[in-house]
Amino acid sequence: MNERNETEGGFRLSDWFLVLLLALCIAGMVFRQWSLRRGGTGELAVYTVTAEWRDVDSRTADCLSEGEWLRTGAGELFGQVVRVERLPAAVRLSEGGQWYEGTWPDEARCGLVLTLSVQARESQGLLLRGGTHPLNTGETYLLYSGRAELRLFVRSCVQNQDVQESNS
């Protein structure tokens, strides 16, 4: 008859453990953000990012132009398109156990190599876009222009030397 009823309002040891675990998780996230911002090597700099947009319908590719800004799904600025280079889209087809490689006719499908100007800084070996979001070579990002949705594969990220020298 000494059993506690589950509907009573008391905290058990397991409840306190869960509250402590939640508090430690929140403290860890806050510390991680603080250390990324604190550990930077300086102010934001301009980086040149080269990215590929593979196997795109040519009409969709025409929706992208130089000088256009790209945004993330959250609406944050990612970078500005500096150059657009159009390439034929590579295809690989199989027939009878044989693989054949070729390209689509230029008017049907294409690939684009984009050069973007992105504001970023280095922190603890990471390149942080806007100072907070990691920007990784070899990763694919879903971005939006004014008229198109782009799935860009990042090939390289290099600090823009012209801007760095003019600031000196």
Side-chain angles (χ1 to χ4, degrees):
M1 299 245 180
N2 232 356
E3 289 182 29
R4 285 179 69 181
N5 189 353
E6 289 291 328
T7 60
E8 288 181 23
F11 267 74
R12 294 185 177 182
L13 184 60
S14 60
D15 295 333
W16 287 110
F17 175 74
L18 291 175
V19 169
L20 177 64
L21 185 63
L22 178 64
L24 288 174
C25 289
I26 292 171
M29 289 187 300
V30 169
F31 178 72
R32 171 83 172 139
Q33 284 298 322
W34 175 76
S35 68
L36 284 175
R37 293 177 190 206
R38 190 187 107 257
T41 58
E43 295 298 315
L44 292 175
V46 177
Y47 282 78
T48 300
V49 175
T50 305
E52 292 180 36
W53 191 15
R54 300 174 180 165
D55 194 23
V56 181
D57 186 297
S58 293
R59 294 169 294 183
T60 304
D62 292 338
C63 293
L64 188 65
S65 60
E66 293 177 2
E68 195 162 0
W69 285 93
L70 301 181
R71 297 183 178 277
T72 65
E76 299 171 330
L77 285 178
F78 185 88
Q80 186 175 26
V81 177
V82 175
R83 196 172 105 220
V84 178
E85 182 182 346
R86 195 177 193 122
L87 304 171
V91 293
R92 190 171 181 205
L93 304 172
S94 150
E95 183 179 318
Q98 295 278 39
W99 286 96
Y100 300 97
E101 294 185 14
T103 58
W104 281 100
D106 209 19
E107 63 273 356
R109 313 267 316 153
C110 68
L112 297 178
V113 175
L114 303 174
T115 303
L116 306 172
S117 176
V118 176
Q119 294 280 329
R121 70 178 174 89
E122 291 184 41
S123 174
Q124 299 176 359
L126 295 173
L127 185 61
L128 300 174
R129 179 185 49 83
T132 56
H133 304 290
L135 178 60
N136 300 315
T137 302
E139 193 165 332
T140 301
Y141 293 91
L142 183 60
L143 302 174
Y144 300 90
S145 72
R147 300 176 288 164
E149 176 182 283
L150 299 81
R151 189 168 298 278
L152 294 181
F153 173 78
V154 175
R155 292 186 350 191
S156 68
C157 303
V158 179
Q159 189 168 5
N160 192 340
Q161 298 299 322
D162 297 333
V163 173
Q164 186 179 9
E165 289 171 6
S166 66
N167 290 339
S168 300

